[in-house]
Amino acid sequence: MLEEQTLPMVDPVLQEGLSRPRGPALLVLVAVFAEDRVLLQRRGVPPYEGQWAPPGGFVEAGESLEAAAVREVREETGVLLQPMQLMPCAVMSLPRLNQVHYGFIARLPAPMPARAMPPESLDVGWFSESEVRALDNWAPAANIEIGVQFDFFRSSAFGFIQQTEEFLRVIGADGIRYLQR
């Protein structure tokens, strides 16, 4: 039987007064999908204020990716997810922004009641593919065509999206499909 160890919550390098180069900020994004609809929020704060986006945001110190995803969905839409509902689906490395985004999909049997949570979100809703096309979507969504996003959400097979400055690809059971090179 393994003994449980308590690890310090303070970075030992910083505790010693040493400095290190600041690495990229870590963010989570969550595509919550139910009955061929995706949950989006109209952002109430910069960046992309007033544009529609999936729930997401910064991972806080000492927080797991899953805990951050659950928290961000709750803070922005009022929807309470469980970590077991989250399937990892994407990693986006954005060195120009000094950020790494980690994406999850939560596929629910039916849409759950959602509400705007100011100041984080001004409005929320469950949208079909055609409705999403008509929205003022946040700029990062422009990299992946809406139809490709919905095909990815609809698939019951595991898939993964990888984005770098050099390429954007979907990795799945049927192989690798490049969307940008």
Side-chain angles (χ1 to χ4, degrees):
M1 185 167 167
L2 296 175
E3 286 185 35
E4 188 176 317
Q5 292 182 337
T6 304
L7 299 176
M9 291 298 291
V10 177
D11 184 330
V13 172
L14 298 178
Q15 192 173 26
E16 295 295 322
L18 304 173
S19 65
R20 66 168 65 154
R22 182 135 172 96
L26 182 59
L27 291 87
V28 292
L29 293 172
V30 186
V32 185
F33 194 68
E35 294 180 356
D36 213 32
R37 294 184 166 277
V38 66
L39 178 64
L40 297 176
Q41 53 116 358
R42 192 161 55 92
R43 293 183 53 83
V45 294
Y48 314 112
E49 185 175 358
Q51 294 182 314
W52 291 90
F58 291 95
V59 177
E60 296 176 358
E63 188 175 44
S64 71
L65 294 170
E66 295 79 7
V70 167
R71 176 183 51 77
E72 288 291 343
V73 171
R74 185 186 70 248
E75 287 178 356
E76 295 175 356
T77 69
V79 171
L80 181 59
L81 297 176
Q82 299 301 315
M84 292 288 290
Q85 293 174 290
L86 301 170
M87 294 298 296
C89 69
V91 65
M92 293 152 280
S93 179
L94 308 171
R96 283 185 231 172
L97 298 175
N98 199 30
Q99 295 178 346
V100 174
H101 294 223
Y102 193 89
F104 291 100
I105 287 181
R107 293 183 178 103
L108 307 179
M112 299 173 70
R115 65 186 184 286
M117 305 288 285
E120 298 275 339
S121 61
L122 303 174
D123 197 4
V124 298
W126 292 92
F127 298 95
S128 69
E129 182 177 343
S130 62
E131 292 167 333
V132 170
R133 290 180 189 282
L135 296 174
D136 180 18
N137 289 295
W138 69 317
N143 290 332
I144 305 175
E145 201 277 324
I146 299 297
V148 171
Q149 293 180 47
F150 266 79
D151 288 346
F152 190 78
F153 298 153
R154 289 178 187 121
S155 174
S156 59
F158 180 77
F160 200 81
I161 296 172
Q162 182 183 19
Q163 179 180 353
T164 71
E165 288 185 324
E166 291 81 35
F167 61 84
L168 172 64
R169 65 185 178 183
V170 177
I171 304 164
D174 57 346
I176 299 171
R177 181 170 43 142
Y178 283 85
L179 304 176
Q180 290 179 347
R181 286 190 203 210

